[in-house]
Amino acid sequence: MATHQDTAHRTGEALVTVLDADGTPRAGTEVVVEQQRHAFGFGNIGFDFVGLANGDAPDEHDPDGDPGTPELADLWLDVFNTATLPFYWGRFEPERGRPDTERLQRTAAWFRDRGVATKGHPLVWHTVQPDWLLGLDTDEVERLQRERIRREVRDFTGLVDTWDAINEVVIMPHFANGDNGITPLALARGRLAMIRMAVDEARATNPAVTLLLNDFDLSDAYECLIEGVLEAGIRIDAIGLQTHMHQGYWGEDTMLAMVDRFARYGLPLHLTETSLVSGDLMPAHIVDLNDHRVDSWPSTPEGEARQADELERHYRSLVGHPAVEAITYWGITDQGAWLNAPIGLVRADGTPKPAYDALRRLVKDEWWTGPTTLRTDESGQASFRGFRGDYAVRAGSAEATLTIGRDTPTELRLTTD
């Protein structure tokens, strides 16, 4: 099987023309180009920085508090350009009618002010639901769920315009690990009706919204569901694939075979939830990862070396696949990590692991263009090929930005003294 290591498809051409004030081409002029942001979505969760974005003082006695510090934020921002924010209904609105809107709006704005795109996770899910839904009839639950979708999409338009529209719908009608108000609704209405509800309400509220299906069940059940969605004319914008690998890295061949299966639908693929362990692996016999909860799960030197190697192989293979548009790693730090697992790229004490260094080297060195100095020809032109994304361009006294896109070459004209 091909390993898709080539990244040429991630690059594009740009042509810069430098002119005098009277429109005469300037030959022999230095042009400096420097990449500012990737078009590819290198993501991570932003859960840890809700407190920091809202100016909360850290509470040393609260083990469940946000671990985000300015130092951790610097590490996060130096690598990632897309943040997934938490909209779990049961935590976002634990008391009916009192959603945590303003805090999440400030968090989204904090990321946007730093050049980071944001995604909301999720609009519909059967887990982490508010207790006040229990006991309501299905019609009332559906009405409230529809209102919740419209409210969040409306209140965050311009701040969060990408959403996991519905999460883990393959098992939603038959989820049995705890009572919730959404599973009975999904059983009564069916999967396609649940997806249509999420998509239609979100898109009616914000026609420009980007909507994903997201699931951990990557079997043919998910493929059949996607085919049903497409046949029903329900418009989704991307397919979300969860790859939590607490039991060990799946390997390039397995991962790419899975990606190829979902690529055939012609939609962008987002690896929405990725994790790799830097300690002992979870036992292989465990089916539901949530069943393995331990008080202590330490990172080890051997595990950290393995994590760094596997993470680099994982990212190289996926960035090399033309259908993949984004990869979101599920956690910057071990502190407060899901299942208490050592999946972070930074240790609980704030020091980067080798995996952090490996990913930064890929994102900001190997897959980064500039700063590069060019010189214009007799026509006042200089061209270059760079990774798709945003660039700062300087020539003499003139400065501008350009974006290298997917298809046609990008052209920029600069007028300088």
Side-chain angles (χ1 to χ4, degrees), residues 67 69 71-72 75 332-335 345-353 356:
T69 63
E71 294 76 18
L72 186 63
L75 291 171
I332 184 67
T333 174
D334 284 349
Q335 184 178 346
L345 306 180
V346 176
R347 304 179 187 94
D349 66 4
T351 56
K353 298 179 187 177
Y356 175 89

Side-chain angles (χ1 to χ4, degrees), residues 17-26 29-31 376 394-399 413-417:
T17 302
V18 182
L19 306 170
D20 283 334
D22 61 1
T24 303
R26 292 197 55 165
T29 300
E30 284 191 352
V31 178
T376 60
R394 300 187 302 276
S397 60
E399 296 185 13
R413 296 167 68 90
L414 285 175
T415 300
T416 186
D417 296 336

Side-chain angles (χ1 to χ4, degrees), residues 139-154:
D139 288 344
E140 178 67 359
V141 171
E142 180 178 347
R143 184 184 69 81
L144 292 168
Q145 175 67 86
R146 288 179 181 274
E147 287 181 355
R148 182 286 215 273
I149 296 167
R150 293 194 299 268
R151 180 187 64 194
E152 267 62 280
V153 173
R154 179 194 68 231

Side-chain angles (χ1 to χ4, degrees), residues 52 57 64-65 84 86 90 94 154 157 159 174 189 194 281 337 354-355 372 410:
L52 182 67
D64 297 321
T84 296
R154 179 194 68 231
T157 294
L159 288 172
H174 304 292
R189 301 293 191 264
M194 294 294 290
L281 299 177
T372 300
T410 298

Side-chain angles (χ1 to χ4, degrees), residues 60-80:
E60 297 178 357
H61 305 289
D62 180 9
D64 297 321
D66 294 336
T69 63
E71 294 76 18
L72 186 63
D74 287 342
L75 291 171
W76 195 107
L77 293 165
D78 197 28
V79 174
F80 301 104

Side-chain angles (χ1 to χ4, degrees), residues 192-323:
L192 289 182
M194 294 294 290
I195 297 169
R196 187 183 297 278
M197 172 186 65
V199 169
D200 286 356
E201 296 291 355
R203 213 175 292 283
T205 306
N206 176 8
V209 75
T210 297
L211 299 173
L212 284 77
L213 290 183
N214 189 45
D215 219 298
F216 73 90
D217 187 330
L218 306 182
S219 71
D220 56 2
Y222 193 25
E223 295 177 63
C224 291
L225 180 64
I226 293 168
E227 289 163 10
V229 167
L230 298 178
E231 289 171 2
I234 303 171
R235 183 164 67 88
I236 58 173
D237 300 301
I239 297 171
L241 308 170
Q242 299 178 27
T243 54
H244 289 292
M245 293 177 279
H246 291 57
Q247 293 165 310
Y249 177 45
W250 299 353
E252 291 94 332
D253 286 350
T254 297
M255 186 66 64
L256 289 171
M258 180 273 293
V259 168
D260 282 340
R261 283 168 41 224
F262 290 97
R264 73 177 188 269
Y265 299 114
L267 291 168
L269 303 182
H270 290 212
L271 279 294
T272 52
E273 304 181 27
T274 285
S275 58
L276 289 159
V277 172
S278 68
D280 293 340
L281 299 177
M282 182 186 292
H285 69 271
I286 293 174
V287 176
D288 185 343
L289 302 188
N290 289 286
D291 291 339
H292 184 73
R293 293 183 180 272
V294 293
D295 293 332
S296 178
W297 193 344
S299 184
T300 66
E302 298 80 10
E304 290 182 3
R306 183 189 69 237
Q307 182 195 40
D309 173 69
E310 292 173 348
L311 182 139
E312 180 166 345
R313 290 160 53 199
H314 183 62
Y315 273 78
R316 282 189 184 279
S317 63
L318 292 175
V319 172
H321 195 293

